[in-house]
């Protein structure tokens, strides 16, 4: 009996997830039934899903503990995909690892939302909500979820940002500016039932000229002139997302060779194991070491040594498939991850790589050879065990004279 077994008694769905890998540690009966066997990545990444941050690991423990973090997940259903709002929280496991607990907010269990009242004087044109909207520099939309998501009012900042004249904008619907199209309507319905104050959710919006922008929207229920509406504040995060993606990409790349680095490989190995557990796809690993590389550095200098590593990286890349991942493991060692590849095919590729390096050389660089270790992932094997086995195979290849391939 796990320490989470008591959660099975709850009527609300609960998932417990490791944020770094996205691995599901536990789902109670209600959660298992609702998710229909889909993993967390599918639930968070479905076409009806919306979230504040792209990766679960982007949520800090403090953010989860002190802020209201809500995500919209896509669940399978008999009549098509369904929407579920989930409240995320921080959890510390018994072994002191951080985890995320996601609690599904079933619509029947949602608290009654008391909308904010923004009408100081319904009979006057200069109402408080109008003043609030027009003096705010952020785009603001006033939406009627009950009327097919109709946009009933916008401020000047919204008209400028989206590129529509106000008199045109107030006759549009949210599904006309959201890249999800009409699929946004069930999502908006659930969001409108939430109390205000939760972290913003990310969407892609379409401007009048057809261009797409990444936005975060702060939405909450309001009562204006007795009408229940949703006030949506929009922030353009397109440039922020682009810079973040560039930084993340740079953090996963080796600056010398331009190959993926060790960190990226470890993430890919975890995903490959998850895919194997889910779909039964085998994968293999090749570990490559440049023979006698220290002599090249000593005799020709480190600059030439770097050029040799770059040449070797380009040579390896030129001989693999698009779905294979070539990484610089460290120093003069490289790793190739081969999805859906049998042990025999991995051995044949390793031998082809060995011959290619031995028989070809850059005219201005010293010749090199490589030693290679090959291993196929075994059932229920950890990343650490797989790397240890392929490293031992490489050691045997070096020990037996270098310039050869050995199987784990």
């Amino acid at each position: 009996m796990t320490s989470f077994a008591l959660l099975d008694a709850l009527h609300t769905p609960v998932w417990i997830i490791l944020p770094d890998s996205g691995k599901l540690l536990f789902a109670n009966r209600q959660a298992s039934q609702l998710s229909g066997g889909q993993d967390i990545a599918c639930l968070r990444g479905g076409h009806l899903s919306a979230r504040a941050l792209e990766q679960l690991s982007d949520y800090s423990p403090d953010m989860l503990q002190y802020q209201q973090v809500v995500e919209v997940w896509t669940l399978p259903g008999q009549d098509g995909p369904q929407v579920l709002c989930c409240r995320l929280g921080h959890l510390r496991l018994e072994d002191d690892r951080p985890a995320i607990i996601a609690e599904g907010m079933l619509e029947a269990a949602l608290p009654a939302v008391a909308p904010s009242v923004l009408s100081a004087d319904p009979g006057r044109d200069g109402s408080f909500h109008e003043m609030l909207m027009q003096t705010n520099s952020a785009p603001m939309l006033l939406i009627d979820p009950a009327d097919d998501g109709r946009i009933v009012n916008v401020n000047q900042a919204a008209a400028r940002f989206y590129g529509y004249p106000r008199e045109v904008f107030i006759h549009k619907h949210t599904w006309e500016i959201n890249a999800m199209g009409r699929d946004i309507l069930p999502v908006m319905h659930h969001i409108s039932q939430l109390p205000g104050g939760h972290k913003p959710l990310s969407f892609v919006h379409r401007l009048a000229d057809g261009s797409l922008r990444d936005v975060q929207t702060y939405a909450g229920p309001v009562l204006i002139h007795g009408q229940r509406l949703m006030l949506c504040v929009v922030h353009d995060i397109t440039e922020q997302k682009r810079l973040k993606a560039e930084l993340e990409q740079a953090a996963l790349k080796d600056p010398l060779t331009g190959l993926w680095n060790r960190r990226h490989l470890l993430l890919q190995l975890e995903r490959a194991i998850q895919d194997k557990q889910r779909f039964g796809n085998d994968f293999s690993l090749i570990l490559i070491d440049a023979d006698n590389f220290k002599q090249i550095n000593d005799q020709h200098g480190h600059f030439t040594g770097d050029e040799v590593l770059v040449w070797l990286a380009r040579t390896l890349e030129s001989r693999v498939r698009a779905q294979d991942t070539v990484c610089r493991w460290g120093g003069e060692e490289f790793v190739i991850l081969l999805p859906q590849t049998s042990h025999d095919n991995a051995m044949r590729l390793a031998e082809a790589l060995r011959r290619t390096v031995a028989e070809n050389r850059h005219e201005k660089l010293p010749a090199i050879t490589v030693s290679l270790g090959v291993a196929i992932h075994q059932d229920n094997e950890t990343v650490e065990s797989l790397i240890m086995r392929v490293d031992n195979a490489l050691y045997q290849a070096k020990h037996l004279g270098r310039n050869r391939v050995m199987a784990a």
Side-chain angles (χ1 to χ4, degrees):
M1 186 175 186
T2 71
S3 55
F4 306 131
L6 290 176
L7 296 175
D8 277 328
L10 298 178
H11 295 296
T12 54
V14 175
W15 294 263
I16 296 177
I17 314 151
L18 289 178
D20 289 338
S21 63
K23 180 181 179 182
L24 178 65
L25 285 183
F26 174 82
N28 68 356
R29 290 191 182 94
Q30 184 82 336
S32 298
Q33 182 179 357
L34 287 174
S35 57
Q38 292 191 359
D39 60 21
I40 297 299
C42 290
L43 299 178
R44 296 185 72 239
H47 76 282
L48 298 180
S49 299
R51 50 199 178 272
L53 298 175
E54 194 70 22
Q55 305 294 333
L56 286 172
S57 55
D58 292 337
Y59 294 114
S60 68
D62 282 352
M63 186 187 302
L64 293 169
Q65 187 170 353
Y66 298 112
Q67 299 184 39
Q68 186 179 182
V69 178
V70 175
E71 294 193 341
V72 181
W73 291 5
T74 305
L75 303 179
Q78 291 183 347
D79 300 323
Q82 305 293 319
V83 173
L84 177 68
C85 291
C86 291
R87 182 185 292 110
L88 273 55
H90 173 65
L91 181 67
R92 183 67 63 176
L93 301 176
E94 292 178 352
D95 57 7
D96 209 38
R97 287 181 299 169
I100 289 177
I101 181 167
E103 178 189 0
M105 303 167 69
L106 298 176
E107 194 166 356
L110 287 174
V113 178
S116 302
V117 178
L118 293 184
S119 50
D121 184 352
R124 296 176 57 189
D125 292 335
S127 63
F128 175 70
H129 90 267
E130 187 70 23
M131 180 183 68
L132 174 67
M133 291 184 68
Q134 299 308 329
T135 58
N136 200 309
S137 61
M140 300 178 73
L141 313 176
L142 204 56
I143 300 165
D144 187 354
D147 188 12
D148 203 33
R150 185 170 63 89
I151 299 170
V152 299
N153 199 2
V154 300
N155 66 352
Q156 293 178 0
R160 286 194 300 269
F161 175 67
Y162 288 95
Y164 291 109
R166 184 178 180 277
E167 58 271 18
V168 173
F169 211 164
I170 59 175
H171 294 289
K172 288 192 170 293
H173 298 77
T174 48
W175 50 265
E176 295 179 86
I177 64 170
N178 195 298
M180 293 173 66
R182 296 191 70 89
D183 285 338
I184 190 61
L185 294 178
V187 178
M188 185 176 60
H189 169 74
H190 280 71
I191 294 173
S192 69
Q193 303 302 309
L194 297 173
H198 59 80
K199 282 192 69 63
L201 297 172
S202 299
F203 295 98
V204 177
H205 280 189
R206 181 176 288 106
L207 308 187
D209 62 6
S211 62
L212 299 176
R213 305 292 290 181
D214 291 296
V215 300
Q216 281 195 327
T217 63
Y218 299 74
V222 294
L223 190 66
I224 298 178
H225 305 334
Q227 188 178 13
R228 187 187 181 92
L229 303 172
M230 186 165 71
L231 181 63
C232 182
V233 183
V234 180
H235 287 275
D236 183 9
I237 60 168
T238 306
E239 186 67 11
Q240 177 184 331
K241 282 197 71 172
R242 185 187 66 81
L243 292 173
K244 183 174 182 290
E246 289 181 358
L247 289 172
E248 289 175 345
Q249 184 88 342
L252 297 174
K253 289 281 190 174
D254 172 54
L256 174 63
T257 64
L259 295 177
W260 297 110
N261 61 18
R262 178 189 293 240
R263 179 185 173 196
H264 178 77
L265 176 70
L266 294 175
L267 292 172
Q268 293 299 106
L269 285 173
E270 291 286 358
R271 289 175 186 146
I273 290 176
Q274 292 175 12
D275 285 346
K276 181 177 179 180
Q277 292 171 343
R278 189 176 177 194
F279 303 111
N281 296 330
D282 281 328
F283 67 93
S284 297
L285 208 61
I286 301 176
L287 180 59
I288 305 158
D289 184 83
D291 296 328
N292 301 311
F293 186 74
K294 184 177 184 301
Q295 294 180 14
I296 293 176
N297 279 334
D298 292 345
Q299 296 174 13
H300 301 275
H302 288 276
F303 182 77
T304 298
D306 287 348
E307 289 187 314
V308 169
L309 293 176
V310 172
W311 174 84
L312 180 55
R314 300 291 83 78
T315 301
L316 297 176
E317 280 186 314
S318 69
R319 295 303 305 268
V320 301
R321 305 165 300 178
Q323 63 264 39
D324 300 331
T325 304
V326 184
C327 301
R328 186 179 179 196
W329 185 242
E332 64 270 22
E333 287 189 332
F334 299 82
V335 177
I336 303 177
L337 172 61
L338 304 169
Q340 301 183 28
T341 302
S342 67
H343 184 270
D344 290 344
N345 286 339
M347 287 293 291
R348 279 192 282 270
L349 174 61
E351 179 58 29
L353 292 172
R354 185 199 66 77
R355 287 199 311 271
T356 298
V357 173
E359 296 170 2
N360 296 274
R361 57 170 294 186
H362 192 285
E363 60 181 10
K364 296 182 179 179
L365 297 176
I368 62 167
T369 61
V370 292
S371 300
L372 305 94
V374 180
I376 188 170
H377 180 260
Q378 298 175 344
D379 291 342
N380 301 317
E381 185 176 30
T382 64
V383 169
E384 292 76 12
S385 173
L386 174 61
I387 292 174
M388 185 178 298
R389 285 197 304 111
V390 76
D391 188 59
N392 288 337
L394 174 62
Y395 175 81
Q396 289 297 319
K398 306 284 280 189
H399 181 71
L400 293 174
R402 299 183 174 85
N403 190 26
R404 67 185 65 223
V405 177
M406 292 296 295

